[in-house]
Amino acid sequence: MVSKMFKLRKPRPGRAQRAFTLIELLVVLAIMATLLTLVVPRYFQKVDVARENVLRQNLYAVRDAIDKFRADTGRYPATMDELVNRRYLQSLPRDPITERTDSWLLSRPTEGQGVIDLHSGAEGKARDGTPYRSW
């Protein structure tokens, strides 16, 4: 009885086996390629938008920490590491365009020392045409 349950059926003679033809496979691949040409550019555009938004948020957070440091101590931080050591930042944020933490461009005051602002060190321009370095 057990052998009857697991017995494989043999195809009946004269009956064609069902399978996909080469034409059907090519049509499916063509449809997939067409859909990919529509989706992939939009995906990369959204990735660029997300990176720019993260850059804006990182710049805002660091600039806010610099302002709070100045309000608390009466001076600007000497280095970005001082903001981290004094717990104004958990860690120095990563520039999402360059994907590095050491590419930030620091602005120093005309008199005295310290860091009053920072900008992205990324080459190139944002989607709105402004250079990343001017943010």
Side-chain angles (χ1 to χ4, degrees):
M1 180 161 182
V2 174
S3 63
K4 289 183 180 181
M5 285 179 26
F6 296 107
K7 190 174 181 181
L8 296 176
R9 293 185 185 182
K10 295 180 183 176
R12 293 182 186 166
R15 188 173 180 190
Q17 291 184 351
R18 301 202 48 113
F20 293 110
T21 64
L22 181 60
I23 301 285
E24 291 170 331
L25 291 175
L26 289 175
V27 168
V28 169
L29 288 174
I31 291 170
M32 288 176 50
T34 303
L35 291 175
L36 284 175
T37 58
L38 296 174
V39 171
V40 169
R42 289 183 184 184
Y43 170 76
F44 286 116
Q45 180 183 9
K46 294 297 181 186
V47 169
D48 291 342
V49 168
R51 283 186 180 162
E52 289 180 10
N53 288 337
V54 169
L55 176 61
R56 281 190 180 96
Q57 184 60 37
N58 286 350
L59 289 171
Y60 176 80
V62 174
R63 288 171 178 162
D64 185 50
I66 291 171
D67 291 341
K68 287 178 181 176
F69 184 93
R70 171 98 162 111
D72 290 345
T73 63
R75 65 179 180 87
Y76 289 108
T79 64
M80 296 306 294
D81 291 331
E82 189 173 5
L83 290 174
V84 176
N85 293 338
R86 302 275 301 264
R87 303 276 187 209
Y88 286 90
L89 292 173
Q90 270 190 334
S91 64
L92 190 59
R94 184 174 59 96
D95 184 340
I97 308 300
T98 62
E99 298 184 358
R100 295 175 29 202
T101 59
D102 61 348
S103 65
W104 297 108
L105 300 176
L106 305 178
S107 298
R108 307 249 180 222
T110 54
E111 72 282 339
Q113 294 182 348
V115 177
I116 61 171
D117 199 6
L118 81 158
H119 303 279
S120 175
E123 297 288 334
K125 295 182 178 182
R127 291 179 311 112
D128 63 359
T130 59
Y132 290 119
R133 292 179 182 237
S134 68
W135 284 16

